[in-house]
């Protein structure tokens, strides 16, 4: 099911059915036949390995489930970018897990595979979480090597991160459970501990065919780089195990004996139920993207007992700022108010638009949260900043810059949920991906772009028509309508949350009823990283 189709349904339930269907499809990886082949070799699949490894009562917060969705179709597709990543608990300790999916192109690395691996390492580094690599990969997908190999954020960056994490004292444990070849061989060996599964695991810089071609030596892969070779002769790996299960048990034993680390000290009390149920939360959020609604009603479904202490409640009303608790954790919330509000002077302000007073309020609130060590949660449904002569004369650019400056320099962890619109500079000010949220997820109702579909389509049409007329082509009304439909359909596809998730602009698309769990997991992870930087916004014009 492609991203274009995901924009068509008009009910929340149908969007959730699409989300469920796409999730189930992704979890099949390369499909039942490929899964069966792995089982025939005595191997578990990537997801089975993760399920076996993590604690029975632990949830697995997946990061990048829809990475590469709808991409690489000419190459046969690459579900979930051929690697499964996320956060879970092992022996009661929160960890990041990276597991190559050998059912997808033998676990080969596509460009999005590299991006997703780097995202997982970033999560580990930002939150100072141990990371476990379950390695089973045929290496770089050679037809696309030019998009994977040489650049800063390409394949080699992961080894740089290995070294950086080691210097930071972040525990890295690797298990070679299948192929591990060429440059990819450095990843497990740059980890603190490297284990290997006998007969199915192998590691070498060049396989037997390449060795024969390069130096004329005839040798089989097991002798070249199997478990016995590396555990008994080279010493490259530390221990070998008879099965995937034995190897995963050994990893659990390692984490059973790791000492505690300092915490950031974010405040948590006994969790309480939200003010309204998950089903009621779906009811208060309208499907019509232009329909006003009260964001406070949505917040009731996210925060404990539905309670939020608003900051400057009567000022800058198109942004809601306030402190609350989510699953017991203290949070500072910055949310776009979508209903039309009235100022003290009687002026009506459009919902979802950031005005000067709103931006000024948010900047001050973000500073307060940094001073008090309160994590920030951004709830996006934003059309952008206010435009027009009145807004410009009032200094909207200056006030918007204040908000962006405070948000960008924030040292407390930030978490972003895109509920609806995420347009233009509004995406930036409300902590879009470019501003380092620890986690960023979308609801199925989200739309992300420079501007709304209708505005963009009309603008692009004008440019296209002007270009054709310049070339001497006559454009009829029918031609214009056809062009508009073509442009609109393409733009709608790009607005889809799955389009964003496939490119890792967001970490995933979630059922709104999972929002509390995602934020709570994110704060628990962030609590492992003490804040060492001092909050400083630099120069802000007043």
């Amino acid at each position: 099911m492609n991203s274009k189709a995901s924009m068509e349904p008009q009910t929340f339930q149908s969007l959730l059915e699409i989300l469920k269907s796409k999730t189930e499809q992704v979890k099949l990886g390369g499909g039942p036949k490929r899964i069966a082949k792995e089982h025939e070799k005595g191997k578990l699949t990537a997801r089975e390995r993760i399920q076996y490894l993590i604690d029975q009562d632990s949830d697995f917060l997946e990061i990048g489930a829809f990475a590469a969705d709808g991409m690489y179709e000419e190459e046969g597709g690459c579900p979930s970018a051929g690697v499964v990543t996320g956060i879970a608990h092992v022996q009661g300790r929160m960890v990041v897990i990276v597991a190559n999916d050998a059912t997808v192109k033998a676990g080969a690395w596509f460009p999005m595979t590299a991006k997703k691996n780097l995202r997982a390492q970033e999560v580990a580094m930002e939150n100072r979480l141990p990371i476990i690599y379950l390695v089973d990969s045929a290496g770089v997908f050679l037809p696309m090597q030019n998009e994977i190999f040489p650049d800063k954020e390409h394949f080699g960056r992961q080894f740089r991160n290995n070294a950086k994490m080691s210097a930071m004292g972040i525990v890295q444990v690797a298990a070679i459970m299948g192929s591990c070849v060429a440059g990819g061989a450095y990843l497990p060996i740059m980890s603190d501990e490297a284990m290997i599964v006998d007969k199915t695991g192998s590691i070498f810089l060049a396989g037997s065919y390449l060795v024969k071609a390069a130096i004329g030596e005839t040798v089989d892969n097991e002798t070249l780089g199997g478990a016995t070779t590396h555990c008994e002769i080279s010493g490259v790996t530390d221990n070998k195990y008879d099965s995937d299960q034995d190897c995963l048990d050994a990893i659990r034993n390692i984490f059973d004996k790791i000492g505690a680390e300092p915490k950031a000290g974010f405040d948590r009390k006994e969790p309480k139920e939200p003010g309204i149920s998950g089903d009621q939360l779906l009811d208060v959020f309208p499907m019509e993207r232009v329909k006003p609604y009260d964001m406070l009603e949505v917040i009731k479904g996210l925060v404990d007992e539905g309670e939020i202490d608003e900051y400057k409640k009567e000022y800058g009303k198109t942004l809601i700022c306030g402190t609350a608790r989510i699953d017991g954790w203290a949070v500072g919330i910055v949310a776009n108010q979508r209903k039309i509000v009235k100022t003290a002077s009687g002026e009506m302000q459009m919902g979802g638009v950031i005005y000067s007073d709103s931006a000024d309020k948010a900047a001050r609130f973000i500073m307060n949260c940094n001073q008090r060590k309160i994590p920030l949660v951004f709830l996006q449904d934003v059309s952008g900043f206010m435009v027009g002569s009145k807004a410009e004369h009032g200094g909207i650019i200056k006030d918007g810059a204040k908000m962006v400056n405070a948000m960008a320099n924030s040292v407390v962890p930030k978490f972003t949920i895109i509920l609806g619109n995420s347009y233009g500079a509004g995406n930036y000010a409300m902590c879009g991906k470019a501003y380092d949220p620890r986690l960023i997820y979308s609801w199925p109702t989200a739309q992300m772009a420079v501007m709304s579909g209708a505005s963009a389509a009309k603008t692009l049409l004008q440019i296209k028509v002007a270009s054709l007329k310049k070339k001497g082509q006559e454009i009829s009304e029918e031609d214009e309508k056809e062009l508009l439909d073509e442009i609109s359909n393409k733009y709608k596809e790009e607005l889809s949350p799955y389009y964003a998730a496939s490119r890792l602009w967001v970490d995933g698309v979630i059922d709104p009823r999972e929002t509390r769990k995602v934020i709570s997991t994110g704060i628990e992870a962030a609590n492992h990283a003490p804040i060492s930087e001092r909050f400083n916004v630099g120069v802000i014009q007043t």
Side-chain angles (χ1 to χ4, degrees):
M1 194 171 297
N2 62 31
S3 55
K4 181 177 176 181
S6 69
M7 298 300 296
E8 294 171 357
Q10 297 301 308
T11 67
F12 225 130
Q13 195 54 46
S14 56
L15 284 182
L16 293 178
E17 286 170 5
I18 285 174
L19 174 59
K20 181 181 177 182
S21 175
K22 288 178 74 69
T23 301
E24 289 173 351
Q25 188 64 39
V26 156
K27 288 184 176 180
L28 287 174
K33 289 183 179 179
R34 291 291 308 172
I35 291 173
K37 284 185 177 180
E38 292 302 298
H39 289 166
E40 287 169 11
K41 298 174 186 174
K43 296 165 65 178
L44 300 176
T45 65
R47 292 182 182 278
E48 289 168 344
R49 287 166 178 164
I50 291 171
Q51 203 56 48
Y52 186 93
L53 175 66
I54 67 176
D55 296 344
Q56 287 188 354
D57 59 350
S58 174
D59 290 316
F60 179 64
L61 177 60
E62 189 160 355
I63 295 172
F66 298 113
D69 178 56
M71 300 172 70
Y72 313 126
E73 296 297 336
E74 290 183 7
E75 289 78 20
C78 187
S80 212
V83 63
V84 184
T85 62
I87 302 172
H89 289 85
V90 174
Q91 297 289 46
R93 300 184 182 281
M94 186 168 260
V95 300
V96 173
I97 301 173
V98 177
N100 298 114
D101 187 350
T103 71
V104 179
K105 304 290 186 185
W109 284 62
F110 283 70
M112 284 306 302
T113 316
K115 187 172 183 178
K116 186 170 174 179
N117 269 48
L118 293 176
R119 173 60 178 146
Q121 290 182 321
E122 180 181 50
V123 170
M125 293 168 80
E126 285 182 333
N127 299 295
R128 300 189 74 88
L129 293 179
I131 186 166
I132 299 169
Y133 305 102
L134 306 180
V135 184
D136 194 346
S137 173
V140 166
F141 184 66
L142 287 176
M144 304 188 77
Q145 65 85 28
N146 63 318
E147 298 179 47
I148 306 168
F149 171 65
D151 210 347
K152 180 178 179 180
E153 300 296 332
H154 282 180
F155 186 78
R157 185 76 171 183
Q158 67 177 332
F159 313 129
R160 173 265 189 195
N161 288 348
N162 282 143
K164 288 289 186 181
M165 280 191 277
S166 182
M168 293 168 69
I170 295 173
V171 174
Q172 300 176 81
V173 175
I176 301 156
M177 312 184 84
S179 297
C180 183
V181 302
Y186 287 103
L187 184 142
I189 309 311
M190 291 185 74
S191 298
D192 301 301
E193 194 149 350
M195 46 199 64
I196 187 168
V197 180
D198 197 16
K199 300 298 186 284
T200 54
S202 60
I203 178 169
F204 34 65
L205 293 181
S208 55
Y209 291 125
L210 185 53
V211 168
K212 177 69 173 176
I215 64 172
E217 181 184 0
T218 300
V219 61
D220 63 88
N221 283 338
E222 186 64 25
T223 303
L224 185 66
T228 299
T229 294
H230 286 310
C231 287
E232 299 180 19
I233 301 172
S234 73
V236 166
T237 51
D238 301 317
N239 289 296
K240 65 178 179 179
Y241 301 90
D242 292 332
S243 68
D244 282 9
Q245 290 89 338
D246 289 342
C247 189
L248 296 169
D249 286 338
I251 294 175
R252 289 184 56 81
N253 287 338
I254 290 170
F255 280 87
D256 183 49
K257 300 172 183 69
I258 294 176
E261 294 285 345
K263 295 287 194 288
F266 302 128
D267 187 65
R268 192 181 197 188
K269 292 192 172 162
E270 186 68 27
K272 306 287 186 182
E273 290 297 313
I276 58 175
S277 71
D279 290 339
Q280 288 174 310
L281 174 62
L282 302 183
D283 289 337
V284 299
F285 188 83
M287 289 298 300
E288 300 87 350
R289 295 308 322 120
V290 295
K291 185 177 180 180
Y293 65 92
D294 190 348
M295 179 63 85
L296 284 170
E297 293 300 310
V298 173
I299 291 173
K300 282 182 184 178
L302 301 178
V303 303
D304 293 8
E305 298 184 311
E307 294 180 357
I308 179 171
D309 297 320
E310 282 195 69
Y311 173 75
K312 290 183 177 287
K313 182 177 180 179
E314 301 302 326
Y315 177 73
K317 294 181 179 180
T318 63
L319 273 178
I320 296 168
C321 297
T323 53
R325 291 190 182 275
I326 292 179
D327 198 34
W329 293 103
V331 297
I333 293 174
V334 181
N336 301 110
Q337 176 59 284
R338 287 293 303 191
K339 70 179 184 179
I340 298 171
V341 299
K342 188 176 184 179
T343 66
S345 63
E347 178 190 2
M348 304 303 289
Q349 293 185 337
M350 293 185 292
V353 177
I354 301 175
Y355 289 76
S356 282
D357 53 357
S358 305
D360 175 66
K361 176 172 83 169
R364 293 165 185 259
F365 177 72
I366 290 166
M367 292 177 193
N368 286 349
C369 287
N370 274 270
Q371 184 185 48
R372 299 166 194 176
K373 206 155 70 170
I374 301 174
L376 286 161
V377 174
F378 292 83
L379 302 176
Q380 286 198 17
D381 192 355
V382 58
S383 302
F385 283 87
M386 189 58 191
V387 296
S389 60
K390 186 174 182 181
E392 298 292 359
H393 295 171
I396 185 66
I397 296 174
K398 179 181 67 177
D399 289 318
K402 277 195 272 187
M403 179 180 175
V404 171
N405 194 327
M407 182 273 301
N409 283 294
S410 176
V411 296
V412 296
K414 300 169 290 198
F415 303 90
T416 302
I417 307 293
I418 304 174
L419 286 62
N421 300 341
S422 180
Y423 296 151
N427 169 279
Y428 298 161
M430 293 294 292
C431 195
K433 184 64 182 286
Y435 292 85
D436 299 321
R438 295 290 177 96
L439 294 173
I440 175 169
Y441 282 83
S442 288
W443 285 8
T445 44
Q447 297 184 355
M448 190 187 304
V450 171
M451 62 181 75
S452 71
S455 299
K458 289 174 184 175
T459 303
L460 291 167
L461 176 65
Q462 291 172 4
I463 295 169
K464 183 73 172 175
V465 168
S467 175
L468 291 172
K469 285 182 176 178
K470 191 178 285 187
K471 295 176 182 177
Q473 297 183 31
E474 291 294 324
I475 307 298
S476 66
E477 286 187 14
E478 287 184 2
D479 291 335
E480 278 199 29
K481 185 181 182 307
E482 190 176 326
L483 274 173
L484 182 60
D485 289 343
E486 182 183 324
I487 291 168
S488 296
N489 288 336
K490 181 178 182 296
Y491 203 84
K492 279 181 183 177
E493 184 175 354
E494 293 175 2
L495 281 172
S496 164
Y498 297 104
Y499 189 90
S502 72
R503 288 150 181 81
L504 283 178
W505 300 342
V506 296
D507 291 318
V509 182
I510 58 169
D511 184 321
R513 293 167 291 192
E514 298 294 308
T515 305
R516 278 169 54 87
K517 186 188 295 182
V518 168
I519 294 170
S520 178
T521 301
I523 298 175
E524 183 186 352
N527 200 37
H528 289 77
I531 297 172
S532 57
E533 298 175 83
R534 183 177 176 182
F535 177 67
N536 189 335
V537 295
V539 178
I540 294 184
Q541 290 185 327
T542 58

